Amino acid sequence: MKQPTTVREYDVVIVGAGPAGMTAALYTGRAMLRTAVLERGFPGGELLNTEYLDDVPGFPKILGHELAEKFATHAKQFGAEFFETTGVASVTKMPDGYFHTETENGEIFRSPATIVTSGGTPIKLGIPGELEYAGKGVSYCAICDAAFFKQQVVAVVGGGDAACEEADFLTRYASKVYLIHRRNEFRASKILQQHVFDNPKIEVIWDTVAEKVEGNPQTGMTGLRLHNLITQKRWLLDATGLFVFIGFRPNTGVIAGHFEHDVMGYVLTDSAMMSSIPGLFVAGDLRAQLTRQVTTASGDATTAAIAADKYITRFKEMERTNSTDASTRSALESSHVSAGGYT
Ligand SMILES: Cc1cc2nc3c(=O)[nH]c(=O)nc-3n(C[C@H](O)[C@H](O)[C@H](O)COP(=O)(O)OP(=O)(O)OC[C@H]3O[C@@H](n4cnc5c(N)ncnc54)[C@H](O)[C@@H]3O)c2cc1C
């Protein structure tokens, strides 16, 4: 016989416990909202894949997992309940305005507002050594890690805007940057290509793919095995860094129903971080924006949590007064047009 589905009631449910989710939890907990944080793995998000960070204000140099622990301890201190190894299958807005966040185990978390912070996933090359040397030479974020490669030789793989822009950025630190592309022309915009061609520190290697990251488990990456697809030549490039920019996938799969997004699939929000689904807030790497960093994820999440608090207050007021009139409902929903709607 099918077991009855467990339904748990919260004021707000947060999907994901990366920097955005944990910051949101800190603020909603502090606002005395009953907060559930559902995380498919363990708290930290991309921080758990980052060796050191040196660009988080107040922490000149900190280990990724150490920062993750600090974020989690801080959020729990304000009462947020963390559910680890609890993957979310879907977040659905029900006809009564509540969200049902269903876990992969079939449990339902019911709340008037939801903050989705499920981040994104950099697309990997899938070559031997890539995962082994991630954080020990292999990176997916130049802004984050370029400073660790001062006066070193690094390789960049990719051919789009990100690859060209980040290769150019890396030359501020690296002594030499090899830009490796599997075709004989870039997909990047002409202006970014021109920056690459004009930069004497960048050498483009065309028609070539990376085959293996070589290294020493103690000291890190030492080289990259390459294969030219035209000449069939194979060789070892001496490089201590590999930056992979072949795409990034936002983890939007949990959001049921239509929501506005940009061409890359990132969720569009208003300035209060509300998506086109009223009551569904989004923060961090999942959101369409210029850059993706710990500080921006936390900033988004601060706004999302405060806005969600105001949304929940209005929602409950509407429920208490049993108000169904169009102007009250529209006041609740129009708040996604401007943050001013919450004041
Ligand atoms: C290798 C690397 C190094 C970086 N270095 C730096 C740096 O030095 N400085 C810096 O500022 N930024 C750095 N960044 C960027 C920074 O880590 C991200 O911008 C930041 O982690 C984004 O936070 P987030 O919470 O939005 O997403 P994430 O950190 O991606 O967290 C998302 C969380 O959601 C969870 N999740 C996803 N789907 C589900 C689901 N269905 N159910 C439940 N949970 C789910 C994931 O498990 C994850 O824990 C780096 C990124 C990478 C990849």
Side-chain angles (χ1 to χ4, degrees), residues 208-231:
T208 297
V209 293
E211 286 193 324
K212 187 176 182 199
V213 179
E214 296 284 2
N216 173 318
Q218 267 76 47
T219 56
M221 174 177 166
T222 52
L224 185 64
R225 293 213 170 267
L226 299 175
H227 175 199
N228 184 297
L229 299 171
I230 305 294
T231 63

Side-chain angles (χ1 to χ4, degrees), residues 79-241:
E81 287 176 58
F82 278 56
F83 295 82
E84 296 175 0
T85 60
T86 303
V88 168
S90 61
V91 178
T92 310
K93 187 161 182 169
M94 308 307 284
D96 63 0
Y98 277 84
F99 287 89
H100 280 192
T101 300
E102 184 166 359
T103 69
E104 285 160 2
N105 296 334
E107 260 189 296
I108 289 174
F109 288 70
R110 186 174 149 84
S111 57
T114 306
I115 305 176
V116 182
T117 66
S118 45
T121 315
I123 298 174
K124 312 275 186 305
L125 288 168
I127 58 174
E130 181 181 14
L131 296 183
E132 190 182 345
Y133 292 103
K136 293 180 181 162
V138 179
S139 171
Y140 303 87
C141 178
I143 292 180
C144 315
D145 294 334
F148 298 117
F149 293 87
K150 277 195 188 111
Q151 293 308 316
Q152 297 182 40
V153 175
V154 301
V156 170
V157 173
D161 283 357
C164 289
E165 201 169 358
E166 306 296 12
D168 198 35
F169 178 79
L170 278 160
T171 59
R172 296 186 194 183
Y173 300 92
S175 55
K176 172 104 191 168
V177 175
Y178 290 97
L179 179 50
I180 294 146
H181 187 41
R182 62 186 166 156
R183 300 205 177 86
N184 62 0
E185 59 180 355
F186 291 129
R187 273 178 293 109
S189 64
K190 291 283 176 255
I191 178 85
L192 294 177
Q193 293 193 34
Q194 204 50 54
H195 289 164
V196 163
F197 299 139
D198 291 346
N199 190 325
K201 280 181 159 185
I202 302 178
E203 184 175 331
V204 182
I205 304 181
W206 301 109
D207 300 311
T208 297
V209 293
E211 286 193 324
K212 187 176 182 199
V213 179
E214 296 284 2
N216 173 318
Q218 267 76 47
T219 56
M221 174 177 166
T222 52
L224 185 64
R225 293 213 170 267
L226 299 175
H227 175 199
N228 184 297
L229 299 171
I230 305 294
T231 63
Q232 300 305 325
K233 179 184 155 195
R234 285 189 156 86
W235 74 105
L236 177 68
L237 182 77
D238 285 332
T240 48

Side-chain angles (χ1 to χ4, degrees), residues 16 19-20 39-40 45-46 50 55 88 118 144 254 284-285 292-294:
E39 166 56 52
R40 69 179 168 194
E46 288 297 357
T50 308
D55 52 6
V88 168
S118 45
C144 315
V254 295
D285 280 10
R292 293 185 173 80
Q293 291 282 279
V294 171

